[in-house]
Amino acid sequence: MKVVIFCHSLISDWNHGNAHFLRGVAGEMLARGNDVRVFEPANAWSVQNLIGEYGEQPIADFYRAFPMLRSFRYDPGDFDLDQALEGADLVLVHEWTEPAVVTAIGRRRARSEWRLLFHDTHHRSITAPHEMRRYKLDDYDGVLAFGASVAEEYRRRGWHDRVWVWHEAADIRIFRPMPPRASERDGDLVWIGNWGDDERTAELGEFLIEPVRDLGLRARIFGVRYPAEALASLRKAGVEYGGWLPNYRAPEVFANYAFTVHVPRRPYATALRGVPTIRVFEALACGIPLISAPWDDTEGL
């Protein structure tokens, strides 16, 4: 089967957690003997920020870590979409794809035989429905939603039996228990996650930074988009800041700490109960103990 995937980025996970699952999906499809083509815009903000901070080396490192994966970077203003879709059996369009591209692919589905699915892995369908109205999905065959609450929102809009829940999951070829580098750990607590604007500022203080300070733990945090006041809070609590960490390196980091935590962003703890981030599955797949802030596991994951 020929599968064509459109997404924001496969090669960069700088503040782009969707790359984690998409890499696993593409890798699994290839391992099962399918022909997989992934397309991402050449000007993807995640790639631009990654290169802006670290140069081109992380791109080369990605291909070294995932030698089976390739991503075709296209110019949305000068792109032969018909050629990209030629011979496809299944087309998956991720929800961070530009609305104009989403619409253009839908129009071609109306005169094609391949199946077309919209892949929604964000809370915007519930928290910012006005943004999602930019996506014209009339010609799509269905929606893959990463949680029951998101799927239910699409059903309320008339999709009914054309919505399927497809939870994010960890690729266990990458995320697996690893031996520590030495007999002594690097620290007690490690947390890998981005700041998240104002979606969990208070929660990170209450469930991560303050306990580290009060308990005198040796802790390190990895992630991006930490504002100056956040970095000051980390320093005051004695937390080491490690900056961006390539997602595929998480297993080796987890192996050298005693435990990690899950601090869900506010929309996932309130409006999207039952939908964890993929980092929960990645941590558990690596065998590190995980303590979660309050979160309602309504789907029994």
Side-chain angles (χ1 to χ4, degrees), residues 191-206 226 262-268 277 279:
W191 189 68
I192 305 173
N194 303 319
W195 183 250
D197 301 314
D198 292 324
E199 291 184 350
R200 59 178 169 200
T201 300
E203 290 83 352
L204 287 173
E206 180 180 359
Y226 281 68
H262 172 47
V263 184
R265 297 173 188 243
R266 201 168 304 120
Y268 295 102
T277 68
R279 294 189 191 275

Side-chain angles (χ1 to χ4, degrees), residues 6-298:
F6 283 84
C7 63
H8 172 72
S9 182
L10 189 76
I11 62 178
S12 174
D13 56 30
W14 190 98
N15 200 54
H16 178 51
N18 298 129
H20 306 189
F21 186 49
L22 292 171
R23 291 168 179 173
V25 168
E28 181 69 21
M29 287 181 171
L30 286 167
R32 291 171 179 255
N34 298 292
D35 178 8
V36 180
R37 305 290 174 88
V38 181
F39 292 88
E40 64 178 84
N43 62 347
W45 52 257
S46 180
V47 178
Q48 290 180 324
N49 279 284
L50 181 63
I51 293 175
E53 285 195 32
Y54 299 96
E56 296 281 348
Q57 188 60 45
I59 308 302
D61 293 341
F62 162 77
Y63 285 118
R64 200 159 27 245
F66 298 94
M68 77 296 291
L69 298 183
R70 284 293 178 271
S71 185
F72 299 91
R73 300 174 68 185
Y74 65 92
D75 178 355
D78 182 21
F79 177 51
D80 191 336
L81 185 55
D82 291 316
Q83 184 179 42
L85 297 170
E86 185 177 359
D89 298 295
L90 172 64
V91 180
L92 298 177
V93 181
H94 188 263
E95 125 273 341
W96 276 114
T97 303
E98 284 297 318
V101 177
V102 173
T103 300
I105 295 173
R107 288 172 179 162
R108 283 159 175 78
R109 168 66 185 97
R111 59 178 188 267
S112 306
E113 295 184 358
W114 34 264
R115 290 288 181 244
L116 176 59
L117 299 175
F118 187 68
H119 185 199
D120 194 337
T121 60
H122 201 267
H123 57 70
R124 290 187 298 166
S125 60
I126 295 175
T127 61
H130 59 284
E131 291 188 22
M132 298 306 292
R133 281 194 285 270
R134 299 180 301 158
Y135 297 89
K136 306 303 181 185
L137 305 178
D138 296 346
D139 295 310
Y140 280 64
D141 294 296
V143 173
L144 300 174
F146 80 140
S149 54
V150 176
E152 187 56 37
E153 182 64 25
Y154 278 95
R155 293 190 182 102
R156 281 195 289 268
R157 299 178 191 175
W159 286 82
H160 304 301
D161 60 349
R162 293 190 297 144
V163 181
W164 297 273
V165 175
W166 195 25
H167 286 291
E168 292 182 317
D171 182 353
I172 58 174
R173 288 166 296 202
I174 302 295
F175 298 93
R176 62 193 189 280
M178 295 183 67
R181 289 192 309 273
S183 57
E184 184 176 348
R185 292 190 176 102
D186 291 343
D188 304 305
L189 166 66
V190 63
W191 189 68
I192 305 173
N194 303 319
W195 183 250
D197 301 314
D198 292 324
E199 291 184 350
R200 59 178 169 200
T201 300
E203 290 83 352
L204 287 173
E206 180 180 359
F207 298 109
L208 180 59
I209 299 173
E210 292 172 13
V212 166
R213 181 195 61 209
D214 295 344
L215 297 171
L217 300 176
R218 291 186 301 150
R220 193 174 193 190
I221 288 178
F222 294 91
V224 301
R225 298 184 67 195
Y226 281 68
E229 59 269 24
L231 295 175
S233 295
L234 297 183
R235 288 192 296 270
K236 187 176 180 180
V239 179
E240 183 179 357
Y241 175 60
W244 172 71
L245 179 76
N247 183 242
Y248 56 83
R249 287 192 53 208
E252 66 183 75
V253 172
F254 283 143
N256 292 283
Y257 287 82
F259 72 102
T260 188
V261 296
H262 172 47
V263 184
R265 297 173 188 243
R266 201 168 304 120
Y268 295 102
T270 55
L272 279 79
R273 291 181 177 87
V275 181
T277 68
I278 195 171
R279 294 189 191 275
V280 171
F281 302 117
E282 292 169 348
L284 295 177
C286 291
I288 185 172
L290 181 146
I291 299 174
S292 179
W295 170 72
D296 193 358
D297 183 17
T298 59

